[in-house]
C-alpha cells in the first residue's frame, strides 16, 4: 500500500484502476534549412490547423463545462496570434536558418520561463498555457495527431502534470479522478477539474516509477490523499462514501437550475462564500446565484508582503469574469483578530478580536485601502462587482470610507482608467451597527449580517476559545432579534439584507430566516442546494 498527500482541487472520493498518463514527448531536433520562406509558410499552416483544433476543443468544452471555463481555449487561440510570440519564432527561423519545430519549441520554452518568473500568480499559471500551445504547433508541424489517450473503462489518471487542453480532451465519462505531481490550484486544469466534478489532487509527491497502470487506487479529495493498492477495509469504506456521494449528487442534479422560491412564491437569493479565486468552481458547480462574500483578506495571508494592486486586480477580475453577470460581493480586507499577517506589523494586542482590525486598519493606513479600492474599481468593468466593508460600528466610518472611495475614483478618472459604479454595502457584525442600522441603511445599498462576529460581540464570547463552545449560542434570542431589526431597517429604506455568517447555512433556521424577510443567504457552496430544497418545500 502506498499513500500520498497533496492539495485537493475537488472534494470527492473515487476508487478504480490507475492509468499513468504518459505524455508523448515530441523530440525536436535543430535542423538547418535553406528556404526560410517555405518554413514560415509551413509554420502558418500548422498554426491554422492548431487554431482549428482549439476551436473544436472550445466547442466541446462549452458543451461539457460551460462557456466561462471553455474560455481558456479562446485564450490559447489568442496567445497563438500574439505578435511578440509569432515574431520571435519568425526571427529565429530567419536569423538562424533553422526549422520551424525547433524555433517554436525554443520560443515556447523562453516565453514559458518568462511567465514562470513573474511575481503574479495568475501570470505564473500562464507559463503552462504557452508551453501547451507551442507543443500543439510542434505536433502539427511534425504531422502527429492530437494524443487523446483513449481508454475503455473509467480510470484514475495519474500524471506528472496535465495541461488544460489535455484535461478537456479526456473523455470525462472515462475519468474517475486525477492526481498530479505538479500543477497550481490557480491553473485552468484545476478550474476545469472542479467544473467537471472530478475528484482531483495536485502537488502529490508521488514517485511515478513505483506506480503502474492497472493498480487500484482511492483518491480522497476530502482528506487530500491518494492510496495505491488499498486494504480491503479501505476499499469498503471508500465504497460507502462513494454511495453517499451518489445520493447527494442525485439531489444536486434535480435542484440545479431551479429557483429558490417557497410554495407561496417568496424568492430568496442563495449566494456562496469564497476565500479565493479557485473557489469559484464550487460556486458554479453548486448553482449559486452569485458570490455573497469573497473574503479578500485571504489574498493577503501566507505571503511575505502585500499583494500588489495588479495581483488583486487579476484576482477580482477573474472572479467577476468567471461569474459572468452574476453578483460578486467582494469584502475589503478583514485582517486582524485570528487572521494575522506579519508584514502588517501590528504588534501584540491584549484583545485582538476587539483590536486594530478590518476597516480600522483601512481608515488609518489609507495607502493599503486605496490600493485595494483601485484594484476593485478597475475590476468592476469585467462583471457585476459590489464592494462590502467589514466591522462597521458607525455612520462616521461609512462617511470616511466614501471620502476615500471618492478620492480613488477621482484619481482613476484623471488617469483615464475605466470603472463602473459598484453597489456598496456593509457587514453588520457589531451590536453598534445593529443599533444604528436605521441610519446606516440610508447610506448603503445593502446589509450583510456577519453572525460569526455579531454573536461573539453580543454574547461577549471569543469565537476562537474552545472552552466557550457550550456558551456560544448562535440561536440566542438576542441574535435573532438583532437580525430582525436589521432586516426591517434595511427594508424601510428600500435596501436588501442578507446573512453571510455561518448561521446563514443553519438548516434549522432557514424557514425562520425566510419568514423574517431576509433577502439573501450567503453560505458555503456545498450548502446551496440543501437550502434550496428547504425553501422550495416551505409554504
Ligand atoms: C462574520 O463575522 O460572520 C463573517 C462572515 O466574517 P468572518 O467570519 O470572516 O469574520
Ligand atoms: Mg466577521
Amino acid at each position: 500500500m502506498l499513500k500520498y498527500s497533496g492539495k485537493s482541487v475537488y472534494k470527492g472520493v473515487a476508487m478504480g484502476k490507475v492509468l499513468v498518463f504518459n505524455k508523448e514527448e515530441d523530440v525536436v531536433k535543430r535542423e538547418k534549412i535553406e528556404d526560410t520562406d517555405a518554413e514560415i509558410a509551413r509554420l502558418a499552416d500548422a498554426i491554422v490547423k492548431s487554431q482549428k483544433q482549439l476551436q473544436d476543443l472550445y466547442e466541446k468544452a462549452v458543451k461539457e463545462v460551460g462557456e466561462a471555463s471553455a474560455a481558456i481555449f479562446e485564450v490559447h487561440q489568442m496567445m497563438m496570434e500574439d505578435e511578440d510570440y509569432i515574431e520571435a519564432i519568425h526571427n529565429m527561423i530567419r536569423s538562424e536558418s533553422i526549422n520551424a519545430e525547433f524555433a517554436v519549441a525554443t520560443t515556447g520554452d523562453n516565453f514559458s520561463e518568462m511567465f514562470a518568473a513573474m511575481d503574479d500568480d495568475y501570470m505564473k499559471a500562464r507559463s503552462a498555457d504557452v508551453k501547451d500551445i507551442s507543443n500543439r504547433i510542434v505536433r502539427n508541424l511534425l504531422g502527429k495527431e492530437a494524443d487523446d489517450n483513449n481508454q475503455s473503462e473509467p480510470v484514475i489518471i495519474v500524471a506528472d502534470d496535465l495541461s488544460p487542453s489535455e484535461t478537456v480532451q479526456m473523455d470525462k465519462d472515462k475519468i474517475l479522478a486525477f492526481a498530479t505531481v505538479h500543477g497550481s490550484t490557480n491553473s485552468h486544469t484545476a478550474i476545469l477539474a472542479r467544473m467537471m466534478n472530478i475528484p482531483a489532487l495536485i502537488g502529490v509527491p508521488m514517485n511515478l516509477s513505483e506506480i503502474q497502470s492497472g493498480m487500484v487506487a482511492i483518491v480522497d479529495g476530502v482528506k487530500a490523499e491518494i492510496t495505491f493498492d488499498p486494504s480491503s477495509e479501505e476499499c469498503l469504506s471508500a465504497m460507502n462514501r462513494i454511495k453517499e456521494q451518489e445520493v447527494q449528487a442525485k439531489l444536486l442534479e434535480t435542484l440545479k437550475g431551479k429557483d429558490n422560491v417557497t410554495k407561496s412564491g417568496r424568492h430568496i437569493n442563495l449566494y456562496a462564500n469564497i476565500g479565493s479565486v479557485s473557489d469559484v468552481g464550487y460556486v458554479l458547480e453548486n448553482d449559486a446565484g452569485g458570490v455573497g462574500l469573497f473574503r479578500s483578506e485571504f489574498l493577503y495571508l501566507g505571503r511575505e508582503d502585500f499583494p500588489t494592486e495588479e495581483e488583486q486586480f487579476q484576482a477580482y477580475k477573474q472572479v467577476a469574469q468567471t461569474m459572468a453577470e452574476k453578483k460578486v460581493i467582494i469584502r475589503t480586507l478583514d485582517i486582524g483578530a485570528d487572521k494575522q499577517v506579519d508584514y502588517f506589523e501590528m504588534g501584540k494586542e491584549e484583545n485582538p478580536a476587539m483590536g486594530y482590525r478590518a476597516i480600522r486598519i483601512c481608515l488609518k493606513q489609507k495607502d493599503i485601502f486605496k490600493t485595494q479600492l483601485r484594484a476593485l474599481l478597475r475590476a468592476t468593468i469585467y462583471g457585476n462587482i459590489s464592494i462590502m466593508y467589514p466591522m462597521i460600528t458607525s455612520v462616521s466610518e461609512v462617511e470616511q470610507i466614501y471620502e476615500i472611495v471618492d478620492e480613488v475614483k477621482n484619481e482613476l478618472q484623471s488617469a483615464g482608467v475605466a470603472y463602473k459604479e459598484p453597489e456598496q454595502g456593509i457587514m453588520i457584525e457589531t451590536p453598534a451597527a445593529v443599533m444604528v442600522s436605521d441610519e446606516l441603511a440610508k447610506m448603503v445599498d445593502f446589509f450583510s449580517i456577519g453572525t460569526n462576529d455579531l454573536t461573539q460581540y453580543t454574547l461577549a464570547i471569543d469565537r476562537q476559545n474552545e472552552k466557550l463552545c457550550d456558551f456560544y449560542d448562535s440561536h440566542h434570542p438576542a441574535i435573532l432579534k438583532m437580525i430582525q431589526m436589521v432586516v426591517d431597517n434595511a427594508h424601510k429604506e428600500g435596501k436588501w439584507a442578507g446573512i453571510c455568517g455561518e448561521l446563514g447555512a443553519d438548516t434549522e433556521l432557514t424557514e425562520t430566516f425566510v419568514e423574517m424577510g431576509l433577502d439573501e443567504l450567503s453560505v458555503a457552496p456545498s450548502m446551496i442546494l440543501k437550502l434550496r430544497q428547504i425553501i422550495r418545500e416551505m409554504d
Side-chain angles (χ1 to χ4, degrees):
M1 190 177 75
L2 279 171
K3 205 186 266 293
Y4 298 97
S5 297
K7 282 188 228 144
S8 179
V9 166
Y10 179 81
K11 292 185 174 23
V13 181
M15 181 167 72
K17 283 200 182 141
V18 166
L19 176 82
V20 181
F21 182 87
N22 286 319
K23 289 189 203 221
E24 196 190 329
E25 285 298 336
D26 297 310
V27 187
V28 177
K29 290 203 200 90
R30 181 189 176 103
E31 283 168 23
K32 271 270 167 215
I33 45 115
E34 299 280 313
D35 188 350
T36 51
D37 285 342
E39 205 59 13
I40 284 172
R42 217 161 65 77
L43 171 71
D45 286 346
I47 291 178
V48 169
K49 199 164 176 193
S50 304
Q51 294 277 25
K52 163 88 181 61
Q53 289 164 351
L54 286 168
Q55 185 58 31
D56 292 346
L57 279 175
Y58 172 76
E59 282 157 21
K60 180 174 189 281
V62 167
K63 276 193 217 118
E64 290 186 359
V65 292
E67 215 160 300
S69 306
I72 181 61
F73 298 107
E74 280 188 317
V75 173
H76 277 196
Q77 282 175 299
M78 282 188 292
M79 282 170 108
M80 232 176 235
E81 285 163 7
D82 181 82
E83 276 179 20
D84 291 337
Y85 175 73
I86 299 288
E87 209 175 288
I89 302 171
H90 284 187
N91 279 347
M92 219 167 162
I93 296 175
R94 288 222 163 87
S95 61
E96 299 179 36
S97 298
I98 52 158
N99 54 328
E101 289 87 338
F102 192 80
V104 172
T106 312
T107 307
D109 286 347
N110 292 343
F111 273 61
S112 163
E113 273 171 33
M114 184 176 81
F115 280 119
M118 289 184 181
D119 282 340
D120 184 322
D121 280 350
Y122 179 82
M123 296 311 281
K124 260 196 176 80
R126 302 289 74 75
S127 164
D129 294 325
V130 80
K131 260 210 137 105
D132 202 16
I133 62 161
S134 305
N135 287 342
R136 179 174 300 283
I137 303 174
V138 167
R139 268 200 312 277
N140 282 316
L141 281 163
L142 292 170
K144 294 187 178 175
E145 286 308 311
D147 179 11
D148 46 10
N149 275 267
N150 268 332
Q151 73 278 336
S152 52
E153 81 179 285
V155 287
I156 293 173
I157 304 277
V158 171
D160 191 49
D161 201 357
L162 287 173
S163 66
S165 63
E166 282 164 343
T167 315
V168 86
Q169 276 183 89
M170 292 174 176
D171 186 345
K172 89 177 198 211
D173 294 334
K174 293 183 182 160
I175 300 179
L176 295 169
F178 72 70
T180 61
V181 178
H182 300 286
S184 84
T185 42
N186 200 23
S187 72
H188 282 98
T189 302
I191 293 170
L192 287 166
R194 288 193 197 102
M195 301 295 148
M196 289 174 170
N197 293 3
I198 296 173
L201 299 179
I202 57 164
V204 187
M206 297 173 284
N207 181 353
L208 290 185
S209 63
E210 290 179 351
I211 297 158
Q212 290 95 39
S213 291
M215 271 174 145
V216 171
I218 297 171
V219 173
D220 186 333
V222 183
K223 292 192 201 149
E225 275 175 3
I226 181 164
T227 311
F228 296 95
D229 283 340
S231 66
S232 45
E233 292 92 82
E234 280 179 308
C235 290
L236 205 64
S237 145
M239 270 152 68
N240 285 334
R241 291 178 62 202
I242 291 166
K243 266 192 207 131
E244 277 168 32
Q245 214 170 259
E246 282 166 2
V247 174
Q248 279 298 104
K250 279 204 184 110
L251 173 84
L252 214 116
E253 284 308 314
T254 60
L255 290 173
K256 273 187 184 171
K258 300 215 167 132
D259 195 5
N260 317 307
V261 67
T262 64
K263 286 182 185 152
S264 57
R266 172 136 149 66
H267 168 87
I268 185 160
N269 284 323
L270 290 179
Y271 294 163
N273 293 348
I274 61 168
S276 70
V277 176
S278 53
D279 291 342
V280 180
Y282 299 116
V283 179
L284 296 174
E285 173 201 317
N286 289 286
D287 199 28
V291 171
L293 168 64
F294 178 1
R295 290 180 160 97
S296 72
E297 62 275 8
F298 288 162
L299 299 174
Y300 292 70
L301 303 183
R303 46 183 297 145
E304 301 291 312
D305 207 348
F306 293 96
T308 61
E309 178 185 325
E310 195 54 30
E311 277 175 291
Q312 293 191 56
F313 164 69
Q314 290 296 346
Y316 307 145
K317 173 180 160 187
Q318 208 182 329
V319 173
Q321 276 181 328
T322 314
M323 290 300 296
E325 278 311 305
K326 289 184 176 158
K327 198 180 266 301
V328 174
I329 302 176
I330 304 177
R331 174 174 78 182
T332 59
L333 101 119
D334 186 15
I335 286 294
D338 53 319
K339 289 173 274 196
Q340 292 292 334
V341 183
D342 287 348
Y343 57 81
F344 273 75
E345 293 176 355
M346 292 195 292
K348 191 170 159 19
E349 292 181 296
E350 282 302 315
N351 293 302
M354 293 196 276
Y356 187 53
R357 59 173 290 195
I359 205 68
R360 301 166 186 184
I361 299 178
C362 292
L363 293 177
K364 285 276 172 210
Q365 287 171 264
K366 264 173 60 175
D367 48 339
I368 298 176
F369 194 30
K370 284 178 75 175
T371 304
Q372 180 167 36
L373 288 172
R374 261 195 309 273
L376 282 167
L377 286 168
R378 283 173 55 202
T380 52
I381 57 172
Y382 296 94
N384 181 6
I385 289 180
S386 304
I387 306 179
M388 177 159 75
Y389 307 102
M391 284 297 293
I392 298 298
T393 61
S394 68
V395 164
S396 128
E397 281 164 356
V398 180
E399 283 167 354
Q400 289 175 62
I401 291 169
Y402 285 171
E403 260 174 46
I404 301 173
V405 172
D406 283 345
E407 222 175 285
V408 175
K409 283 182 184 168
N410 289 338
E411 284 165 13
L412 290 176
Q413 277 165 23
S414 324
V417 180
Y419 66 87
K420 271 196 317 212
E421 282 298 335
E423 281 198 352
Q424 295 181 84
I426 54 171
M427 300 226 13
I428 301 285
E429 49 186 348
T430 65
V434 175
M435 297 314 288
V436 295
S437 55
D438 52 345
E439 291 175 65
L440 291 169
K442 296 187 173 75
M443 309 176 78
V444 300
D445 296 310
F446 63 91
F447 286 151
S448 188
I449 307 172
T451 48
N452 309 335
D453 278 319
L454 186 60
T455 310
Q456 139 163 290
Y457 297 128
T458 306
L459 305 186
I461 285 177
D462 179 357
R463 66 193 252 196
Q464 298 297 114
N465 190 336
E466 286 168 30
K467 280 190 228 146
L468 299 177
C469 283
D470 289 345
F471 297 93
Y472 188 96
D473 175 12
S474 51
H475 290 205
H476 194 294
I479 304 298
L480 299 178
K481 278 188 189 173
M482 283 179 158
I483 295 174
Q484 187 66 71
M485 187 171 171
V486 172
V487 172
D488 292 345
N489 282 334
H491 288 175
K492 270 184 213 146
E493 297 299 328
K495 311 293 167 66
W496 65 264
I499 295 180
C500 64
E502 294 307 298
L503 197 64
D506 188 329
T507 51
E508 283 178 37
L509 288 175
T510 312
E511 292 196 24
T512 310
F513 291 149
V514 175
E515 282 157 9
M516 281 177 148
L518 277 143
D519 304 285
E520 178 242 26
L521 295 173
S522 188
V523 298
S526 58
M527 289 305 293
I528 297 281
L529 293 165
K530 233 188 173 61
L531 296 190
R532 178 172 297 168
Q533 186 189 34
I534 299 173
I535 292 165
R536 290 177 66 81
E537 282 167 7
M538 267 185 84
D539 279 330

